Amino acid sequence: MLSVNRVVAEPEGPAREKAFQTALDVLVDRRDEFNAQGYVPRDYIDLLKRAGIYRASTPRRFGGDALDPSTFMKKIEQISTVDPATGWVASFGSSLVYLAALPPDTQRDLYAEGPDLTYAGGLFPMQEATAVDGGYRVSGVWQFTSGCMGADLIGVGLAGGPETKGRPLTALVRPEQAEIVPNWDVAGMRATGSHNVRLDDVFVPQEWTFVRGGTPTVDEPLYRYPGLAYAAQVLAVTALGAARGALDYTLGVSAGRTSITGGAKKGQRPSYKSGLALAEAKLRSARAFFYETTDEVFALAEAGDEIPTEKVALVRLAASHAAHVGREVALEAFDLCGTGAIFRSHPMQRYLQDALVPAQHAFLQTATYEAAGAVLLGLEPDVPSFP
């Protein structure tokens, strides 16, 4: 079904590390371009492929890396420190964990030309599809398809039935089968290019659909890790990166020029010193909780042990906390920068506007705190599909 001109990752080791550093260096030069045009272009996606980002969640049996979550997310955090929106697009290098629920033969076809594959999913609103012999006829419009401008494969959400126990189906199509509807007119995470996609009576074979969050047909540690929790984490980590970038900027200008009113240099002001220190402590604490819970749960996945619901709830809690703390720290850094930061051309605008977005996502909104508390108390959470 899928036929694309695949870009292949550099071999593991120094060559791939160099490719990753090259991608970061190029991003410094081009992040304003990406923000202005509203998407990360395919030629830069190819640089991320060479750096191994888009084989990170491909099963090892099909030539991928199936990286542990912490190793992958630290790379996304690094990218987000330079440009959070590009980090958001790169974070979907994790999304092939969903595709592990496809039939093994379909996955074999999917990766026949190589394991480096970019996937963009626009799952909502779920649409009713027409069941036909061998598959579905699919029409509709789906929102928030982040990274669709550089995707090799697009997934859309279909309403499930009794056979899926009410869980949504995802149908996979080639980009040329879908129309991208440009509508991404936002202030934060602008470069994610999260446009709508439209399908008009497209036939999707049954074997190219899967239940979102369904049982994987691949038995490797990454696919035993809780998938929906991981989906929340890879978005939350962009807020950690945004906050890190914002704080690094405030450190860099701390010894800069005096105030236009003639006041002391920023770094000499008591409020600047204490504000910077408190923000640093807050960010590092949230980050430690985030990766601690990740590694604890992945260790259970590696051992093949059952992962208690309470542990998954802690992963979700750590993700939400990271998103909200990232937002707070970026705002505190903005405050430290003073009046100059209000200008659209100021570097802090990138970090602030992008850092505001992750905590707005349904996976990370304030309601997930209450849901996590409910699980820890042995109660039923009100948030759907939690944890």
Side-chain angles (χ1 to χ4, degrees):
M1 175 184 175
L2 189 66
S3 179
V4 295
N5 183 21
R6 297 286 176 87
V7 174
V8 178
E10 296 291 341
E12 285 189 85
R16 193 176 298 177
E17 291 170 9
K18 182 180 179 181
F20 184 64
Q21 186 58 53
T22 296
L24 293 178
D25 293 342
V26 171
L27 185 56
V28 171
D29 293 334
R30 297 186 65 187
R31 55 191 174 184
D32 290 339
E33 169 198 334
F34 299 169
N35 184 70
Q37 69 188 15
Y39 65 93
V40 179
R42 186 173 288 275
D43 68 303
Y44 188 79
I45 295 294
D46 289 346
L47 291 183
L48 295 177
K49 284 186 176 182
R50 292 190 177 96
I53 296 299
Y54 291 106
R55 64 168 54 191
S57 62
T58 302
R60 292 184 182 275
R61 66 181 291 188
F62 298 119
D65 292 345
L67 284 180
D68 67 274
S70 282
T71 297
F72 176 73
M73 289 191 291
K74 286 174 182 176
K75 290 181 179 294
I76 302 306
E77 187 180 8
Q78 280 185 270
I79 296 168
S80 300
T81 299
V82 179
D83 184 54
T86 301
W88 184 282
V89 173
S91 79
F92 292 103
S94 68
S95 61
L96 301 186
V97 294
Y98 285 137
L99 276 57
L102 287 165
D105 286 346
T106 303
Q107 293 186 61
R108 193 171 293 108
D109 291 344
L110 185 65
Y111 301 116
E113 298 180 42
D116 303 279
L117 182 67
T118 53
Y119 169 73
L123 300 181
F124 299 101
M126 292 182 290
Q127 305 288 349
E128 295 285 346
T130 302
V132 296
D133 187 32
Y136 301 90
R137 307 297 310 189
V138 181
S139 297
V141 177
W142 292 264
Q143 298 178 344
F144 302 116
T145 318
S146 298
C148 59
M149 301 295 284
D152 299 322
L153 189 66
I154 292 176
V156 297
L158 307 180
E163 74 283 1
T164 69
K165 298 180 180 178
R167 292 182 294 178
L169 277 174
T170 300
L172 302 179
V173 298
R174 299 185 302 274
E176 61 266 26
Q177 294 176 290
E179 176 192 357
I180 294 174
V181 183
N183 72 320
W184 191 240
D185 185 15
V186 293
M189 291 291 181
R190 177 171 167 75
T192 64
S194 304
H195 300 296
N196 287 0
V197 296
R198 177 185 289 122
L199 268 60
D200 184 14
D201 195 32
V202 175
F203 173 71
V204 181
Q206 175 73 40
E207 62 269 21
W208 287 86
T209 66
F210 61 92
V211 175
R212 182 169 176 262
T215 303
T217 60
V218 176
D219 186 20
E220 295 179 15
L222 179 60
Y223 312 104
R224 301 181 204 130
Y225 190 81
L228 291 180
Y230 193 24
Q233 286 185 287
V234 298
L235 302 179
V237 80
T238 66
L240 293 180
R244 179 74 271 157
L247 282 184
D248 286 350
Y249 180 82
T250 62
L251 282 167
V253 301
S254 61
R257 61 182 180 275
T258 57
S259 166
I260 61 172
T261 62
K265 292 181 179 181
K266 293 181 185 297
Q268 297 301 315
R269 302 172 194 170
S271 60
Y272 198 96
K273 297 173 188 174
S274 59
L276 182 63
L278 288 169
E280 188 73 40
K282 183 184 293 186
L283 178 60
R284 287 176 180 263
S285 298
R287 187 176 186 273
F289 178 35
F290 183 85
Y291 286 113
E292 174 189 301
T293 55
T294 301
D295 292 341
E296 184 177 349
V297 171
F298 188 69
L300 296 174
E302 281 189 301
D305 294 340
E306 181 180 354
I307 300 174
T309 301
E310 292 78 9
K311 294 288 188 184
V312 184
L314 284 174
V315 172
R316 292 293 304 270
L317 175 60
S320 294
H321 186 59
H324 287 262
V325 168
R327 169 193 278 182
E328 292 167 11
V329 169
L331 184 57
E332 288 163 7
F334 172 81
D335 184 51
L336 291 173
C337 285
T339 306
I342 70 173
F343 287 88
R344 292 180 62 185
S345 60
H346 195 281
M348 193 58 69
Q349 284 292 326
R350 169 184 298 107
Y351 295 117
L352 177 62
Q353 292 184 38
D354 287 355
L356 294 176
V357 175
Q360 297 292 108
H361 194 280
F363 279 166
L364 300 165
Q365 287 177 359
T366 305
T368 56
Y369 282 113
E370 181 182 351
V375 172
L376 295 177
L377 288 167
L379 305 174
E380 286 295 320
D382 291 332
V383 174
S385 301
F386 192 96

